Every structure is written in structure tokens, then in C-alpha cells.
Amino acid sequence: MRIHFKTDYLQDIRLFEDRREMIQYILLILAALSAPFWLDEYLLGEITYVLIYVLAGIGLMVLAGHTGQPSLGHAAFLACGAYMQVILLEAGVPFLISLPLAGLFSGVVGAIVAIPALKMSGIYLAIATLAFGIMVEDVIILLEHWTGGVEGVLTPAITIGGFEIDRWTTPDYFYWLCLIVVILVTVAYKNLLRSPTGRAFTAIRDSEVSARAMGVNVARYKMIAFGVSCFFTGLAGALLAHFLQAFNYEAFLILISIQLLLMVTVGGLGSIHGAYYGAIVIGLLPVVITILREEVSELMGLGNFTIPGLETGIFALILVIFIIVEPLGIYGRWTKIRIWLELFPMARKDMFRRQKSYLKTERMK
Amino acid sequence: MSLLSVKDLSISFGGVKAVDGVSFDVQPGEVFTIVGPNGAGKSTIFNLISRFYQPTGGAIHFDGKDITNMSPDNIAPLGIARTFQNIELFEHSTVLHNLLVGRHSQRKTHWIEDMLFLPSARRAEVEHRERAEEVIDFLDLQPYREKMIAGLPYGLRKVVEIARALASGPKLMLLDEPASGLSVEETQDVAFWIEDMKKDMGLTVLMVEHDMSLVSQVSDRVLAIADGRPLAMGTSAEVQSHPDVIAAYLGVEEDAA
């Protein structure tokens, strides 16, 4: 086990715990940057899709994982970002301005939605956001003038300084664009977590009563959490618009919201890593299923067969297994494995048993 | 001038008058204790002062300011910190993290500054960290700095609660039963800490406590209440020998009347 001998307060504030961790992340970023050189176009496309989902997952993680406010309507904020991006681009706004604006629009909508949602928590908040998600589906169809109604819209190509980026003709550049946005958002998220704002979020999650006693304005910080969360998700939506190129309201059905929530739960609630792991599992699982199905049909000579509902079934199964076996998600399981390896052979069997605590008062809630 | 002044404070829940016309003044630098049997309304008074409950009558002034209608999150920035009887720590965080949340009322940075982690945010963070470290040194919490609250024993959680309240740099500490559930040795530690808070840090302490040995050891003045009404006020010895207080605790003999 690594033990850090700290000699400076800045050591607690740094982005990376130590040099080793920094080198690991630099290598990871280099590997990610070089991916277009050693991956084929199909897989690169899938990974770009995963990156967009990472972004949306980070958005939901701020809210569900760190502030403890579950949202079942996050696809609506993806939609806000996506449609705003198309509207802005068609109005002639350059991409570098329209992307943050689309995110900002989604963030503002999120903060407004937060106002009635402030009074709710837990299951009631989930239902309210679910209702909002369903409402947005209909609103998209009604606002035909801007959203193209049921027909949907075509996303204009990205041009940065006369240079064109397109998902099909220049997949490398589109991938790098998504990667840069994801890295920037991850750093911003990490910054929030190491500052009073992020601490206020987790304080609200763990005990609203004592957060209030410490001087946290709970309503204000819930609104900030909603705003930041929807800003990140809106950015993901804008990129998704470019990824899909042509889309209508069906790209933002309530099922997508549920998939997002499933993603952060499977990845591990309350950690940035969790958003990544969840997106990788949920994003790449269909690819793995397709490949496996081809292999199986070739092996057994079944020809081209499909099983309807196979993907949904496997997703549901994964969720059930995680909730029962590892509520802390992939990140939680990985942390345990790592500690076990670091301590080997000294790890004890019951090291991770959770201590039950019956001290919490329900009096003032 | 008194630091905290409570006048005719009343609150009723439905038909129950939990607190009924309680008045007292806490002078700067004193340890003021409220005692009383279970259900006397002691914790309710605390929740009224920290603004979780809205009084149905009376007024609360702190440092010359009327705080009767303030919202609870504006209380900490004024310099009032509190602990909870049933421990309300942030379970899934480390001790250090809890203390840093305690510094929230002293934050100077805007959330956008935080998100970009500008140099101002970095400076503020180091300062918060320094203040938290002072509290850790004061309460001997060094071995537990990085430990999760969920894994700490009860006695330590009580200390972390005091630490979190101290981290905000308060003028007035509200301690809600700081010694409940603690061993004799731990209670002694709490007594020393309260004396140090008063003498070295110049804090004013308002405490609710059942342990009479702790009460008589540290309190300058004691207020006894029962059924939401004040019974007696004075030094610890005076209050303990007051006939009304004895009657409230032990009951009145029928034939004595």
C-alpha cells in the first residue's frame, strides 16, 4: 500500500495524488489521443459515442452521484443541448461559440427545473424529473418550427476557422474534438470536487440538516448542481447532434434517461471514474453483443439471426446483479480489488463490510 | 452587552407547548448550560436558535442583531456553530473533509472560480486547510485525518462533531449533549476542551448536558427548565439544590403538599 508523507497543504489540493498517478493519467491521455492511428474506423466511431456518453454520465454524476438528487429525465437535457446546437449553427453562429451556448442553454433550463424540484427528494424527485422528460418529448414535437417535429433535423457540419470536421469524412478530428471536451469537463468536475462548492454538494447528499447548520444554502446549491449537471449534459447533447447528424425526438426517449441513470449506477455513484466505467460498459456492450452474436451464428451455422430485446434484457440483468452484489458499482469493486492486491497477502475477509450505523436522527427531516 | 439574548421564546407543536416563555442572556466568554429532564425542550431551544424551527413567540438576538426570522444557512456565517445530539456527520467522507465542510460559512470564492480553480480558489483552499489543521491539533485528531466517518467509533464521532463546529471559527458554540454516550475518560477530555475553548480561544459556549459532573465542572451559569418553562438559574450548585429542580427530577411527595 502506498503511503504518502505529506509536507505541504497543496498536496491535498493537487489534481493527482502523486507522480505515479500523474504519469498513469498522462499515458492514458496519450493512448487516447493516438487512438485514431491504431483503431479502425468502426471502433473509433463507437469510442466517440462512448466519449459522448461519458460526458452525459459526468453530467448526471454531479447530480445523482455527488448531490444525491436522482434524475430520471436527463435525456431531456441532452435534447436541449442537441436542438439548441442545431438552431444556433443554422443561425450562423460559429461552432466554438455555439457549443458552450448550447450547454449553457441546457444548464439554464436545468436550473429553472430545479426550482420546483427543490422541495422534493428521493423517489418523488425521480418521478418529477421523469415527468419532465416525457413532457420534453412532446414539446419537441410541438415546436415543429425549430425542431422539425416528428421529421427531425439535420445537423450542419462543424467548421472551425474554415476547417471542416465531419463524423463520416473526418472521424479522427471529430474524435479528438470530443476527447478534448471530455478532458476539459473532467478537469472542471475535479476542480468542483476539491473546492467548497463540491463539498457543499456532498454535504447535501449526506445530511441536509447539518449542511444547513454549516451555512450551506441548500436551495442555492441544489440549483447550482442542477445547472452544472445540465450544462455538462447539454454539451454532450450538442456533440451527440453531430454524431447522429440527423435526429428527431426518438433520440431522447425516456429510455435514454434510464440508460444514463443505469450507467452511473453500474459505473459507481459518487466517483468521476464511475461515469467513465459506466459509459464504457453501456456504450460498448451492444458492440460486444453484436460481435458475439456473429461468432455464435458462424460457429453453429445459424445464419443471420436476431433475438429481439436481447440488449435490453442484458442491461437489466447487469443492473440487477450490480445492485445486489456491488452497490458501489465497477469503481467500488475495482477499488476493493486494488486494495486487496496492494495488501496481498494481508487483506482480511471482512475488510469492506459496511458498518451499520443507527445514529441518524429522522427528527428534523 | 450579552452575546446571545433570548426573550420570551415560545414554540408549540400542535397543542404541545414545547418551549414556553424562556428568557436568558449569554455573556461573552461564559459557559452557559441548560439542564432539564427528558422532553423539557432543551434541544428544541437549540433548534430555535439555529433556526431550524420558527418560534411562535419571542425573539432571539445575537451580537446585537435580531436573528428571529433569519434562514438557517445564514446563522453559521454570523459565528454560531453547533453540534447535534444524535451526530449528523457526513458519513461517506473523511474527517478532514467534514472539517472542511465546517469551513463553508467562511468561503470567499464563487462557484465559477471553484470550477476553474483560479489562483484565488487555490489560496482560499490552503487557508481552509490550515484552519482545519489547527482544529485537528487542538482536538488530537491527527491519526484520523484521512479516516472515513462510517468506520469511526462513537466517541470519536462526537469529537469530530465538535471539531467540525470549531472549524468554522465561531464566536458561540452550541453543544448539544457533548458527553452523551461517552466514557468517563472521554467526558474528562470534553471538559478540558470546553475550558480551553473558553480560556484560550475566547469562545462562548451554550451547552445542553445531562452529565451533572461535567455541568458543574465547566459551567459558569446553569438554567434549569422543565416542560418548556424555566425553573431556576444560577451557579451549578444553586440550581442543583433548588427545590423546584429537585421536584422536577424526582417528583413531589404527595403528603408534603
Side-chain angles (χ1 to χ4, degrees), chain A residues 183-258:
Chain A
I183 292 173
L184 287 179
V185 164
T186 308
V187 172
Y189 190 6
K190 180 83 187 169
N191 283 346
L192 274 184
L193 289 187
R194 58 182 171 153
S195 62
T197 310
R199 287 195 293 266
F201 289 170
T202 49
I204 290 171
R205 178 191 65 189
D206 285 352
S207 168
E208 256 184 53
V209 172
S210 62
R212 215 168 252 143
M214 297 302 125
V216 177
N217 183 338
V218 174
R220 181 183 147 81
Y221 277 90
K222 275 189 186 172
M223 262 177 86
I224 294 175
F226 261 95
V228 170
S229 162
C230 297
F231 172 68
F232 292 163
T233 310
L235 288 178
L239 291 174
L240 190 67
H242 290 288
F243 183 84
L244 297 172
Q245 296 212 318
F247 59 90
N248 64 0
Y249 71 100
E250 280 180 358
F252 311 103
L253 290 183
I254 212 69
L255 207 65
I256 306 289
S257 303
I258 294 171

Side-chain angles (χ1 to χ4, degrees), chain A residues 11-131:
Chain A
Q11 270 171 294
D12 280 333
I13 298 166
R14 276 188 208 141
L15 271 183
F16 307 108
E17 206 168 7
D18 54 15
R19 186 158 304 204
R20 194 177 113 172
E21 201 181 275
M22 188 165 79
I23 292 168
Q24 281 171 351
Y25 278 103
I26 288 173
L27 287 177
L28 181 70
I29 290 172
L30 286 179
L33 281 173
S34 66
F37 300 113
W38 45 269
L39 271 179
D40 68 40
E41 228 163 79
Y42 168 68
L43 274 178
L44 193 68
E46 290 303 319
I47 289 181
T48 312
Y49 184 62
V50 168
L51 282 179
I52 293 170
Y53 259 65
V54 166
L55 205 53
I58 286 177
L60 187 54
M61 192 65 91
V62 174
L63 200 60
H66 280 108
T67 321
Q69 311 294 315
S71 162
L72 266 175
H74 244 55
F77 300 108
L78 269 181
C80 287
Y83 281 108
M84 202 51 177
Q85 174 76 349
V86 173
I87 291 166
L88 286 172
L89 283 179
E90 277 182 347
V93 179
F95 175 79
L96 285 181
I97 299 173
S98 75
L99 180 69
L101 274 185
L104 217 58
F105 170 70
S106 174
V108 170
V109 172
I112 293 169
V113 168
I115 298 171
L118 288 175
K119 300 256 173 230
M120 293 174 269
S121 62
I123 185 95
Y124 301 103
L125 181 63
I127 291 169
T129 49
L130 181 77

Side-chain angles (χ1 to χ4, degrees), chain B residues 71 124 148-149:
Chain B
S71 73
M148 292 297 243
I149 299 297

